[in-house]
Amino acid sequence: MARLIITRLLTMIPLMFIVASVVFLMLRFVPGDPARIIVGNQRITEENLQNIRVQYRLDKPVLVQYGYWVKDLAQGDLGRSFRQRADVNTLILERLNVTAQLVISSFLLSMIISIPLGIISALRRNTWVDFSATIFSLIGASSPVYFTGIILILLFSYKLNWLPALGEGDGGWDTVKHLALPSLALGFSLACVTTRLTRSAMIEALSQDYIETARSKGLSARTVVMKHAFRNAMIPIVTVAGLQFGALVVGTVLIEYTFGIGGLGSLIVQAVQVRDYPIVQGATIFIAAIFILVNLIVDILYAVIDPRIRY
Amino acid sequence: MEIDAAGIQSIPADQAPPTPLSMFVWRFRRNTKAVVGLVIVLSLILIAIFAPILAPQDPLDGNLSASLVGPGGEYLLGTDKNGRDVLSRLIYGARVAIGGALGVVIISELIGVPLGIWAGYKGGRVDAVIMRFFDLMLAFPPLLLSFAVVAAFGPSLRNVIISLGILYVPFAARVVRSVTLVQKEMVYTEAARAMGYPQRRIVFRHILPNTLSSVIVVTSLDLAFAMLDIAALSFLGLGVQPPTPDWGTMLSEGRAVLLTSPHVAVGAGVAILIAVLGFNLLGDGLRDVLDPRQANK
């Protein structure tokens, strides 16, 4: 296990390096003067413009810039924003908290909705419960997450007046109330995919011979379903749950924009709109790193769930 | 849904033996998902083609004195903040949605299908290099990488289509590769090789036609994904630019006036939902029809 973690962390470095380089080089080979982006619409003398170029090392050739950038990256420094007077690291850390809360609560909600629903659908196959769950998840999976969010705002904020529609709240209970709808929108979207998967994984597991054996031994239905079938259905579920992290990240960007939440997602979108390259590349690399870590955790979980898997 | 189990035996004995095509049509018609999906998709295509005839108003020309009129009355689905007819904009939006998604899928398959066949047929190092590279691309959500492209080259539908098209290459390539791996080992491919046929002939006559059914399924599902991704980028203001009638952009505009005029956002959202649902249903249904073994998994 320790060896797995170490090798995976080591393979992570070249992977990160390639992602980082592609993003960096793509943004640098673009026509236009980045110094002009930094000043925006302000009037500025050519001399000051030159100072900015020197300050951001934009006067150097692209390859030299790349060298500096790799050196900084190796030390964990993602550079400095073009538009906001702050380091990219600081900006990401500031915004990380609310995004992390959103991601974790959405993920938990999606699991709470989808796993029981998937199991029930599999156990009551081809009944009205199963059909409605299938139709529900098909429609949910086709609805863009931000549209699901807008429907929730219309229903729970404007119509029923239960929950706030915009912003991230001022901490504590207020934050819980503010993040409830965005988490529900995102969690529901993810749940639609996981429900269908849990259902088919459970049907597969329930059709195996050892289920028959367990039943004939006189074990309770509960033990058969949860201990025998579900445990074996967990492997495909965990795989997809890990893969869904990508959908979760993209969903967070869209949901933050929809609900006006100032998290990592809105940071990226704003940066793309004003072409603040250091933030775009820094945030992309940051997310890539988390992405790879999540996949590592998924691999470790396999071994925990299924003792037959050895690394 | 018709009774499937009983239906299997219901080919009348006096008919000619079924051809592959008639078998396909017969199975397709019994698949509710496929039929519903096809009806939605065909309607969308017709709406896109005949938009100028179907749209009751000009989608670009607004009447500012009729800004944000509610649904019903003169404007069936109301107007947006520039006084433009929402229904007409939704109808024209089908063009951008379908055209954009088709663009993405065509680019991805023009690159992905040959690469997938090449990797699968050659095997060995070629295969390993191509597949590692795709793993790397798949390790990342396409939408997030499009952000970097848009940041670099500016927001436009063209940039979105090209970037998504390239980022979708692995989806098509991986499916085609796995079919190629199977076909390569088939007896008839073996026989063709033994008879000394050139590689070109084996690839084009034996392998390529057999990838067709998988490519059709991937096309339909990828069209759904592409539509969602393009709409998402437009929603964020990074894709289709106003005043072009587009569902994602309309949803974004509708979000700004959600409290007073929810009809703008809801109309656009429902349009996206139905279109994506149609392609998802068609893709799912086609997979059941074309590959019954896969479907039971």
Side-chain angles (χ1 to χ4, degrees):
Chain A
M1 182 65 75
R3 231 186 91 202
L4 166 80
I5 297 174
I6 292 164
T7 37
R8 285 297 295 269
L9 285 174
L10 284 178
T11 51
M12 199 174 141
I13 294 168
L15 199 62
M16 286 290 309
F17 183 71
I18 295 173
V19 171
S21 302
V22 168
V23 174
F24 178 88
L25 293 174
M26 190 163 63
L27 291 175
R28 284 318 132 119
F29 281 117
V30 167
D33 181 0
R36 288 266 168 216
I37 296 171
I38 297 172
V39 287
N41 296 325
Q42 297 169 52
R43 289 169 147 272
I44 192 164
T45 62
E46 183 54 39
E47 195 186 334
N48 285 339
L49 209 55
Q50 190 56 34
N51 285 340
I52 289 172
R53 289 198 192 104
V54 173
Q55 190 194 337
Y56 282 88
R57 298 197 198 105
L58 295 166
D59 53 333
K60 306 265 191 325
V62 171
L63 276 179
V64 177
Q65 289 184 42
Y66 178 65
Y68 275 117
W69 185 69
V70 169
K71 197 183 118 223
D72 288 347
L73 188 65
Q75 293 163 352
D77 179 2
L78 293 172
R80 203 174 158 75
S81 161
F82 277 179
R83 284 300 190 85
Q84 308 184 42
R85 309 250 168 271
D87 286 334
V88 176
N89 287 21
T90 319
L91 287 169
I92 289 179
L93 287 178
E94 264 174 24
R95 305 287 195 108
L96 188 59
N97 195 13
V98 62
T99 300
Q101 286 170 346
L102 189 58
V103 164
I104 292 168
S105 54
S106 312
F107 183 75
L108 291 179
L109 265 174
S110 82
M111 290 291 139
I112 292 169
I113 300 170
S114 64
I115 290 182
L117 204 58
I119 294 178
I120 293 167
S121 289
L123 290 176
R124 304 191 192 282
R125 209 174 157 185
N126 297 333
T127 62
W128 67 269
V129 185
D130 184 23
F131 282 130
S132 16
T134 305
I135 290 171
F136 206 57
S137 54
L138 251 172
I139 293 174
S142 300
S143 172
V145 60
Y146 44 93
F147 181 53
T148 310
I150 280 176
I151 294 293
L152 291 182
I153 292 179
L154 284 173
L155 195 64
F156 291 105
S157 298
Y158 294 168
K159 187 107 187 151
L160 299 170
N161 217 355
W162 285 355
L163 291 161
L166 294 173
E168 64 253 35
D170 319 314
W173 183 239
D174 195 42
T175 302
V176 174
K177 279 203 308 203
H178 275 86
L179 291 186
L181 287 184
S183 308
L184 190 61
L186 194 48
F188 173 73
S189 284
L190 291 176
C192 290
V193 180
T194 330
T195 304
R196 292 169 76 185
L197 187 95
T198 308
R199 176 183 179 273
S200 57
M202 275 302 281
I203 288 174
E204 172 87 27
L206 284 168
S207 68
Q208 302 293 321
D209 288 340
Y210 56 77
I211 296 296
E212 215 53 48
T213 313
R215 285 213 177 104
S216 58
K217 280 198 302 191
L219 296 179
S220 72
R222 197 193 152 81
T223 316
V224 172
V225 170
M226 294 316 295
K227 279 251 168 74
H228 293 255
F230 183 60
R231 184 138 190 199
N232 280 287
M234 284 272 281
I235 289 283
I237 296 171
V238 168
T239 310
V240 167
L243 287 175
Q244 277 203 324
F245 184 73
L248 198 56
V249 169
V250 169
T252 312
V253 174
L254 294 165
I255 278 295
E256 283 182 12
Y257 186 79
T258 312
F259 286 86
I261 295 169
L264 206 52
S266 356
L267 180 74
I268 301 176
V269 173
Q270 282 154 13
V272 173
Q273 280 163 349
V274 299
R275 306 178 101 178
D276 194 334
Y277 301 159
I279 294 184
V280 177
Q281 67 201 18
T284 311
I285 292 160
F286 179 78
I287 292 171
I290 304 227
F291 210 94
I292 296 167
L293 271 177
V294 166
N295 280 315
L296 176 64
I297 295 170
V298 168
D299 278 358
I300 295 170
L301 273 180
Y302 286 155
V304 174
I305 296 166
D306 190 342
R308 287 169 300 186
I309 295 175
R310 283 271 164 268
Y311 292 106
Chain B
M1 198 180 291
E2 302 266 334
I3 317 125
D4 272 327
I8 288 166
Q9 284 134 14
S10 71
I11 306 177
D14 55 331
Q15 273 183 9
T19 62
L21 183 68
S22 72
M23 278 294 285
F24 169 76
V25 172
W26 183 76
R27 288 223 300 251
F28 190 93
R29 284 173 56 182
R30 310 207 142 238
N31 189 305
T32 318
K33 277 196 284 189
V35 172
V36 174
L38 186 68
V39 169
I40 297 176
V41 168
L42 282 182
S43 322
L44 274 174
I45 293 173
L46 290 176
I47 289 172
I49 293 173
F50 295 109
I53 300 169
L54 293 169
Q57 309 267 345
D58 188 315
L60 296 173
D61 195 18
N63 175 5
L64 280 175
S65 60
S67 168
L68 293 172
V69 174
E74 190 192 345
Y75 303 97
L76 199 59
L77 295 181
T79 61
D80 66 7
K81 80 174 184 303
N82 296 317
R84 297 172 300 198
D85 181 39
V86 170
L87 178 62
S88 304
R89 288 180 69 73
L90 287 178
I91 289 173
Y92 272 90
R95 292 186 157 187
V96 178
I98 293 182
L102 266 180
V104 170
V105 172
I106 289 171
I107 292 175
S108 75
E109 285 178 359
L110 279 181
I111 307 172
V113 172
L115 270 181
I117 292 185
W118 191 40
Y121 195 78
K122 283 283 168 196
R125 195 169 297 165
V126 173
D127 186 31
V129 169
I130 294 179
M131 283 304 128
R132 279 299 89 34
F133 185 70
F134 285 161
D135 284 347
L136 193 75
M137 279 175 80
L138 285 173
F140 228 61
L143 206 61
L144 219 52
L145 290 175
S146 296
F147 285 175
V149 176
V150 172
F153 299 99
S156 78
L157 181 61
R158 193 199 56 194
N159 291 347
V160 165
I161 290 175
I162 295 174
S163 64
L164 286 177
I166 292 169
L167 294 167
Y168 273 43
V169 165
F171 299 132
R174 274 161 65 115
V175 172
V176 169
R177 171 183 172 267
S178 64
V179 178
T180 307
L181 284 177
V182 175
Q183 295 299 327
K184 191 173 74 170
E185 305 302 328
M186 288 294 199
V187 181
Y188 60 79
T189 317
E190 200 89 12
R193 253 197 302 269
M195 287 165 77
Y197 285 143
Q199 245 179 46
R200 191 161 35 97
R201 184 189 158 114
I202 296 173
V203 166
F204 282 98
R205 287 284 288 274
H206 299 292
I207 293 181
L208 192 62
N210 278 301
T211 61
L212 190 66
S213 61
S214 309
V215 170
I216 291 173
V217 174
V218 170
T219 302
S220 188
L221 294 174
D222 277 1
L223 282 171
F225 283 123
M227 225 174 240
L228 274 176
D229 280 351
I230 296 174
L233 284 163
S234 299
F235 176 70
L236 296 173
L238 308 176
V240 181
Q241 295 300 303
T244 311
D246 166 73
W247 299 340
T249 319
M250 285 174 75
L251 196 46
S252 178
E253 289 164 357
R255 175 185 155 271
V257 293
L258 196 60
L259 188 56
T260 50
S261 310
H263 63 270
V264 183
V266 172
V270 170
I272 302 174
L273 196 159
I274 292 176
V276 174
L277 184 66
F279 282 104
N280 269 334
L281 284 172
L282 183 63
D284 265 15
L286 279 171
R287 183 166 46 202
D288 299 352
V289 173
L290 292 169
D291 190 357
R293 271 169 303 131
Q294 269 287 316
N296 290 333
K297 270 195 178 171

